[in-house]
Amino acid sequence: MVRACGLLTAQKEPVPLKSIEVELEVRDHVAAVVSTLNYENKENKPLEAVVVFPLPGDAAVCHFSAKIGQTQIVAEVKEKQKAREEYDDALSSGQQAFLLEESDQSPDIFSLSVGSLPPGESASIRLEYVTELSVQADDGLRFCLPAVLNPRYQPQGSEGVQVTSVPASLVPYSLSFSARVSSPRPISKVESNCSLDPLQDLNTDQTQATVKLAAGHKFDRDVELLIYYKDVHQPTAVVEAGQASAEPGSLMADSVVMVSLYPEFPQSVTSSVASCGEFVLLMDRSGSMSNSRISSARDTLLLLLKSLPMGCYFNIYSFGSRYEHIFPKSVEYSQQTMEEALKTVVQMEANLGGTEMLQPLKHIYSQPCIPNQPRQLFVFTDGEVWDTKEVIDLVKRNSDSHRCFSFGIGEGASSALINGMAKEGGGHAQFITDTDRMQAKVMQSLRFALQPAVVNISVIWDLPKEVSVTVLSPPITALFPGQRSLIYAQLSGQVGAINSPQVGCSDSDSFPGGGRTQRMARHKSEGEGGATFYVFTCRIIIIRSSFCFIFGFSASVSEQQTRDPLLQLVSLQEATGKWLLDPALPTALGKTNEEVEKSKPVLANKEIWATILALIWLHGLKMDSKNEWDLLAMKAASWLRAQNAPWVTECVEAANLLLGCSVMKEALGL
């Protein structure tokens, strides 16, 4: 039987949780979250209960306290077993006690044990944590406050706490949510899947703002916040002053800096794609992927298979309680293998039972890599697995032989799983809600994966002589289009020496870099404790950079539905990139066979005419979906150029006339 995510007694009965208050403070790319849970014991006896709730998988809990009546308890960090023993001892002696634990199976599940709450007494639990915000394909920063914790599938015989939930609309909690955003860059906009009050700017340069959840929110879905900055590719750094009361020379006493790198690659780089690689797709077909999710997954796979480059290798796995693969091992991409894969894809259903990802991953990694075909793994799941840590560790152990791209589908997808796999696999993570179009996000990631990366990176710190720097984060080995990297460092010495404006080079392209600190501005935090934060933008020097091609695999979903002309047209494309003058082509274009035949230049080759027709239709009538078809259109243009055929100009003119478009030949890449 499913239960609400929240406060439960030892017998799994819900305890009245009166309200949840969430305060979010975003500083550039990092979020600090303060959650307060208020509840009361309406029983006539003391109560021991457990609060089960989700947190981001990479979050760091920095404060936990409880207030019962006028008594305030602040938690101490202790070794897990010792903490559990002390909690049990306190309960046995009749004392009030609280215990916060991270799940052994998944770092995004925390349980809070509340012991000996007197009858009729109210309690307030305060939890604070910090987490990095992930960058989405459209440059937005994503924060998610989960409303539910979906049931995590556990294979028979496994151990661990069973975590289940129902939508929070069935739970009588009230939710208060407010956010404060500050950045060296102006804030462009803040969007959400929930209704928000209007954004309130706090200063004239729009670098600080607040926003609140509109009144009446039922918390029946995840609260997703997307934050957009202007000048998003400009490197920035945020400095937090040290604590004056801390021991001199310690990490807490020294100032620390976070440098954000999100380079904008030149057009010559982003317009090029790799022509080799091994693409392995792992698709969740468990029961929770039913209905629109699996349908969208089929459409995504269609676009993916049509967009892969000639000369690559590929395979498709699907999993539930067991796993399947289309080919015994990865095969070379051709018309024959593409058609064979599509025959299986159109029949895929969410009918493989539970969610066991570990075994198919082990099988994939056991396959020998193909020489000169770098392996890229794309994983699609609604994130409802029970052994998150083991899965992430497996990806990490194999990170030297592949890149991993991950997609969380639907509400409640585990951020620990999705972000952890991408982080350890050197890829990119995206979250796709049930209202998002999966195809666009996945094809954006495929483009990122197919584009070159910058390697051999050095970061040169331009600081006064009085200041030294100790880098705390691992070195950056590569930068990819669409990928953000953060550098954390400890600043020692007279940090006040950098607290005045400095002028460096002009605002030229932020990639590949060059120059020194441009300007600096100081921002006083309004938060508790009076901590001072210094915010400045800077130029990071990237030297000895060279390009290497690293390849990725992505997907998008599809049944060949005649009601979607775009997918119908895509389904007719050959693996080489060309279209045939098939009777189904005019239907997809909204024309008759007679109109298409009659408009063809007399001497034009039929395949060239069909391919140009398709490209004109895409560029002229489907530009709003360009992210979905851009790669397959590039492949078609490459095929046309290789034919070196006459009558291309005449075909472009005739196609524009037939379809009512005005697309220039150059726009097609010809």
Side-chain angles (χ1 to χ4, degrees):
M1 181 178 181
V2 292
R3 298 292 188 190
C5 173
L7 186 66
L8 308 174
T9 68
Q11 291 74 38
K12 309 302 182 185
E13 295 294 331
V15 177
L17 178 57
K18 297 189 297 186
S19 64
I20 303 174
E21 302 166 13
V22 179
E23 298 176 12
L24 170 68
E25 181 160 4
V26 176
R27 293 190 180 95
D28 206 26
H29 285 249
V30 171
V33 185
V34 179
S35 295
T36 304
L37 292 80
N38 302 302
Y39 58 94
E40 62 181 332
N41 178 12
K42 293 186 177 181
E43 302 292 327
N44 57 8
K45 58 183 178 181
L47 176 71
E48 180 183 3
V50 177
V51 184
V52 178
F53 54 93
L55 285 181
D58 56 354
V61 176
C62 50
H63 176 86
F64 166 50
S65 62
K67 185 176 183 181
I68 299 180
Q70 299 302 313
T71 303
Q72 180 83 15
I73 304 171
V74 179
E76 298 178 2
V77 177
K78 295 191 175 183
E79 187 272 328
K80 192 166 189 174
Q81 184 58 35
K82 181 176 177 57
R84 166 58 66 178
E85 291 173 357
E86 291 188 12
Y87 172 77
D88 291 338
D89 291 343
L91 287 189
S92 62
S93 61
Q95 302 178 40
Q96 295 174 347
F98 297 80
L99 177 67
L100 180 69
E101 294 180 286
E102 177 184 301
S103 165
D104 290 330
Q105 285 78 38
S106 180
D108 68 339
I109 301 173
F110 277 74
S111 64
L112 167 63
S113 299
V114 181
S116 194
L117 180 62
E121 189 71 80
S122 295
S124 177
I125 304 297
R126 181 183 175 96
L127 178 71
E128 300 180 20
Y129 65 90
V130 293
T131 185
E132 296 176 359
L133 300 181
S134 60
V135 179
Q136 303 301 288
D138 62 356
D139 298 334
L141 296 178
R142 180 181 185 267
F143 171 80
C144 182
L145 181 67
V148 299
L149 206 61
N150 285 345
R152 300 295 168 88
Y153 176 75
Q154 287 184 257
Q156 187 173 6
S158 66
E159 297 181 355
V161 177
Q162 181 68 35
V163 180
T164 59
S165 74
V166 295
S169 59
L170 303 180
V171 182
Y173 307 165
S174 64
L175 171 68
S176 168
F177 178 86
S178 62
R180 178 189 177 103
V181 183
S182 60
S183 173
R185 296 171 275 247
I187 301 162
S188 175
K189 60 181 178 179
V190 176
E191 296 180 345
S192 177
N193 61 332
C194 304
S195 297
L196 299 174
D197 288 340
L199 187 71
Q200 300 292 323
D201 290 319
L202 299 180
N203 54 13
T204 55
D205 58 6
Q206 298 180 317
T207 58
Q208 299 178 46
T210 61
V211 68
K212 293 182 179 180
L213 204 58
H217 178 69
K218 297 182 183 300
F219 207 23
D220 55 351
R221 59 190 179 278
D222 293 355
V223 177
E224 182 183 59
L225 216 61
L226 294 171
I227 301 166
Y228 297 85
Y229 297 132
K230 297 178 181 177
D231 304 322
V232 65
H233 294 291
Q234 179 67 40
T236 62
V238 178
V239 178
E240 180 179 344
Q243 297 179 359
S245 60
E247 181 181 350
S250 68
L251 178 61
M252 298 304 294
D254 287 342
S255 297
V256 291
V257 60
M258 177 188 72
V259 179
S260 169
L261 299 179
Y262 186 45
E264 184 175 22
F265 283 53
Q267 178 65 26
S268 59
V269 174
T270 57
S271 61
S272 63
V273 295
S275 59
C276 60
E278 180 193 8
F279 302 96
V280 182
L281 172 66
L282 181 58
M283 177 62 70
D284 190 342
R285 287 176 55 196
S286 61
S288 56
M289 283 285 293
S290 59
N291 301 323
S292 62
R293 293 183 184 179
I294 194 66
S295 175
S296 183
R298 289 191 296 263
D299 290 341
T300 303
L301 286 174
L302 169 64
L303 284 174
L304 166 69
L305 288 172
K306 297 292 184 175
S307 301
L308 291 178
M310 295 297 291
C312 76
Y313 286 72
F314 78 103
N315 202 354
I316 299 177
Y317 286 70
S318 55
F319 69 95
S321 301
R322 56 187 174 84
Y323 67 89
E324 301 175 353
H325 42 75
I326 295 181
F327 305 105
K329 61 180 181 180
S330 294
V331 296
E332 187 171 0
Y333 179 68
S334 67
Q335 182 66 25
Q336 179 181 346
T337 55
M338 183 191 74
E339 289 180 351
E340 185 175 348
L342 283 173
K343 288 179 182 178
T344 302
V345 166
V346 298
Q347 298 175 5
M348 282 185 174
E349 297 292 344
N351 57 2
L352 293 186
T355 310
E356 295 189 51
M357 186 187 296
L358 194 61
Q359 294 308 312
L361 279 175
K362 288 181 177 179
H363 186 270
I364 290 169
Y365 293 140
S366 71
Q367 303 297 305
C369 292
I370 303 171
N372 302 316
Q373 302 285 349
R375 175 176 292 168
Q376 299 299 335
L377 172 65
F378 269 56
V379 179
F380 294 81
T381 180
D382 53 11
E384 298 173 8
V385 300
W386 68 283
D387 50 356
T388 298
K389 289 184 178 179
E390 196 170 354
V391 169
I392 293 173
D393 287 344
L394 181 62
V395 173
K396 183 177 182 179
R397 291 198 300 271
N398 291 274
S399 60
D400 59 344
S401 62
H402 83 301
R403 285 179 72 199
C404 180
F405 293 77
S406 55
F407 296 85
I409 301 171
E411 307 287 354
S414 168
S415 63
L417 178 70
I418 304 305
N419 288 327
M421 292 183 72
K423 180 178 180 180
E424 298 299 345
H428 191 270
Q430 291 217 60
F431 290 85
I432 304 166
T433 67
D434 288 335
T435 58
D436 288 334
R437 187 167 171 84
M438 187 187 297
Q439 293 90 321
K441 287 195 172 184
V442 173
M443 297 311 293
Q444 283 178 325
S445 290
L446 175 59
R447 172 178 280 279
F448 291 155
L450 286 168
Q451 290 170 350
V454 175
V455 297
N456 297 328
I457 298 168
S458 294
V459 178
I460 297 178
W461 298 83
D462 180 36
L463 297 170
K465 293 181 179 179
E466 299 88 351
V467 180
S468 61
V469 62
T470 302
V471 178
L472 304 174
S473 50
I476 300 174
T477 57
L479 281 174
F480 299 93
Q483 184 180 43
R484 184 272 323 272
S485 296
L486 296 178
I487 303 172
Y488 296 94
Q490 179 178 354
L491 301 176
S492 303
Q494 300 180 24
V495 179
I498 66 172
N499 290 342
S500 58
Q502 299 181 9
V503 179
C505 68
S506 61
D507 292 330
S508 58
D509 290 341
S510 61
F511 176 82
R516 299 177 185 276
T517 302
Q518 293 181 46
R519 68 180 190 276
M520 209 173 293
R522 183 173 179 224
H523 165 58
K524 171 77 173 179
S525 168
E526 303 293 340
E528 250 182 275
T532 301
F533 293 86
Y534 301 98
V535 180
F536 60 90
T537 60
C538 65
R539 299 305 294 267
I540 303 300
I541 303 174
I542 303 177
I543 63 174
R544 300 194 303 276
S545 298
S546 61
F547 289 108
C548 72
F549 285 99
I550 301 193
F551 319 94
F553 163 49
S554 112
S556 97
V557 247
S558 139
E559 295 169 332
Q560 299 178 17
Q561 300 175 7
T562 55
R563 64 173 179 262
D564 189 334
L566 174 59
L567 294 177
Q568 186 180 6
L569 180 68
V570 169
S571 69
L572 299 173
Q573 189 184 30
E574 301 277 294
T576 57
K578 69 181 178 181
W579 272 266
L580 304 179
L581 199 56
D582 187 278
L585 180 64
T587 302
L589 301 176
K591 299 296 178 182
T592 65
N593 288 338
E594 184 180 2
E595 288 175 316
V596 170
E597 290 285 357
K598 194 172 183 180
S599 300
K600 183 180 79 70
V602 177
L603 299 179
N605 175 279
K606 288 185 177 182
E607 294 177 354
I608 290 175
W609 168 239
T611 303
I612 289 177
L613 268 176
L615 288 177
I616 294 292
W617 188 84
L618 291 171
H619 283 270
L621 302 175
K622 288 294 178 180
M623 285 301 291
D624 59 337
S625 304
K626 190 172 187 291
N627 280 337
E628 299 182 26
W629 54 258
D630 192 30
L631 289 173
L632 61 88
M634 290 173 61
K635 186 162 66 167
S638 177
W639 177 83
L640 283 169
R641 290 192 300 269
Q643 307 312 302
N644 197 27
W647 306 106
V648 169
T649 300
E650 289 80 357
C651 286
V652 170
E653 293 173 353
N656 274 313
L657 185 62
L658 173 64
L659 299 173
C661 301
S662 55
V663 180
M664 303 296 291
K665 183 174 73 171
E666 292 74 19
L668 305 179
L670 303 177

